[in-house]
Amino acid sequence: MLQPRIPVNPLPTGKPIPLNHPTPTPAASVEPTSPASTPAPASMPVVPARTTVQLTPGSALALAAGGGAVILVVGTVLVSMLLAVAITGVSVALIAVVLRLLVRDMQKGR
């Protein structure tokens, strides 16, 4: 009943397939004009030209330094999280040992 409806595309074309197929709307009456004055159809978006990125030695060095800084920050965060988990595990294990000793002493009647 609640299964997702994902379209199956056996041959990927790179074009998205909409889940809801729009119904065509009736075209309004259009008066013919000369071909030179007709604007481009709205369904054809204008794609801007891609700009090329040129890296100078200084910008490449800054990019490498920035990447290294990001790696160091992410590594520091991950190591600190690992240490927090390890410290928590050790403290829980010590609490379990202490509670086990207390329960054993209570059962012996001391």
Side-chain angles (χ1 to χ4, degrees):
M1 179 175 134
L2 296 175
Q3 295 179 350
R5 295 181 183 177
I6 300 174
V8 178
N9 191 3
L11 298 172
T13 59
K15 297 179 183 176
I17 300 174
L19 292 177
N20 298 333
H21 298 288
T23 58
T25 56
S29 62
V30 177
E31 297 178 11
T33 58
S34 65
S37 66
T38 57
S43 63
M44 305 270 302
V46 177
V47 179
R50 293 186 180 206
T51 59
T52 58
V53 177
Q54 296 178 354
L55 290 176
T56 62
S59 62
L61 184 63
L63 187 64
V70 167
I71 289 173
L72 287 175
V73 169
V74 169
T76 303
V77 168
L78 290 177
V79 167
S80 64
M81 289 173 60
L82 179 65
L83 283 173
V85 169
I87 291 170
T88 304
V90 168
S91 65
V92 168
L94 287 175
I95 290 172
V97 169
V98 169
L99 285 176
R100 182 176 172 194
L101 290 173
L102 287 175
V103 168
R104 185 182 298 168
D105 284 344
M106 287 175 57
Q107 288 176 352
K108 286 184 179 179
R110 289 185 182 179

